Amino acid sequence: MRGTQIRPARADDEERIRCFLAGLSLHTQTLRFFTGISTPAAGLVRTLLATDERRDALVATTVASGEIVGHAMSFQGDCADVEIAVVVADRWQGQGIGPQLVDTLLLRASVRGARTVGMDVLGENRRVLRLIRRLWPDARMKVSSGSVEVTAMIDPAGLFAEQRSGGTPLTA
């Protein structure tokens, strides 16, 4: 995470999100969106930035240039209180940005009352499935058509401890 920061997504991030998505490898695009996206559609970009009482969105940016290197979103779900999706730029993967985005997103959802989290993960996404097993050893996983539907309990005490408690602008 060195050299990066996490903040809420903003409407003026539209061009930065478009560049971020276009810079993802086909493999990373497929793991996140279950398909490749050659040119990010305006509707997808707007969806990734949308926030309201049902949706939240965060970005990880470089401190130096403000370039977006990670994106996370949540929305009130059907299979869980909140469903999440996260993607990190290829060259920034493996540096802790994804787990930090997840923790921050779940902290914000927990403050809003969420107790369970859900996500759909491609079965071939071994890195994320290992992370899920580490974070939520009791998670329920249901395999269907090449993807894994995950449902787990959110541990607010652990999230607040990791954020060193006390509120931050990200919990507001």
Side-chain angles (χ1 to χ4, degrees), residues 140-155:
R140 186 173 46 109
M141 296 188 189
K142 177 181 166 191
V143 178
S144 173
S145 301
S147 70
V148 182
E149 184 181 293
V150 179
T151 307
M153 296 298 296
I154 297 172
D155 175 16

Side-chain angles (χ1 to χ4, degrees), residues 8 29 54 82 85 98 100 104 111 114 130 133-134 143 152 165:
Q29 289 175 359
R54 297 178 45 103
V82 65
Q100 189 64 44
T104 306
V111 167
R130 279 192 304 272
R133 286 187 193 102
R134 192 177 81 234
V143 178
S165 198

Side-chain angles (χ1 to χ4, degrees), residues 11-147:
D12 70 346
D13 285 326
E14 197 167 307
E15 186 56 32
R16 285 183 289 275
I17 282 285
R18 191 179 324 285
C19 290
F20 167 70
L21 293 173
L24 297 174
S25 69
L26 177 60
H27 179 71
T28 296
Q29 289 175 359
T30 303
L31 291 178
R32 165 56 181 91
F33 299 102
F34 293 28
T35 188
I37 46 174
S38 56
T39 304
L44 173 61
V45 171
R46 281 192 302 274
T47 298
L48 294 178
L49 296 175
T51 59
D52 57 31
E53 65 280 347
R54 297 178 45 103
R55 296 177 291 195
D56 195 10
L58 301 173
V59 292
T61 63
T62 60
V63 174
S65 68
E67 172 192 6
I68 293 176
V69 297
H71 177 270
M73 63 187 295
S74 68
F75 55 94
Q76 287 181 348
D78 296 325
C79 71
D81 294 336
V82 65
E83 295 184 33
I84 64 170
V86 178
V87 63
V88 175
D90 294 79
R91 69 183 184 281
W92 288 87
Q93 291 176 12
Q95 297 183 38
I97 294 172
Q100 189 64 44
L101 281 165
V102 169
D103 286 349
T104 306
L105 201 59
L106 292 182
L107 176 64
R108 291 166 61 95
S110 178
V111 167
R112 294 181 183 140
R115 299 292 168 247
T116 58
V117 59
M119 63 205 86
D120 289 323
V121 180
L122 274 181
E124 69 183 73
N125 197 341
R126 303 280 185 234
R127 177 182 274 173
V128 169
L129 292 172
R130 279 192 304 272
L131 175 67
I132 290 167
R133 286 187 193 102
R134 192 177 81 234
L135 294 177
W136 300 290
D138 297 329
R140 186 173 46 109
M141 296 188 189
K142 177 181 166 191
V143 178
S144 173
S145 301
S147 70

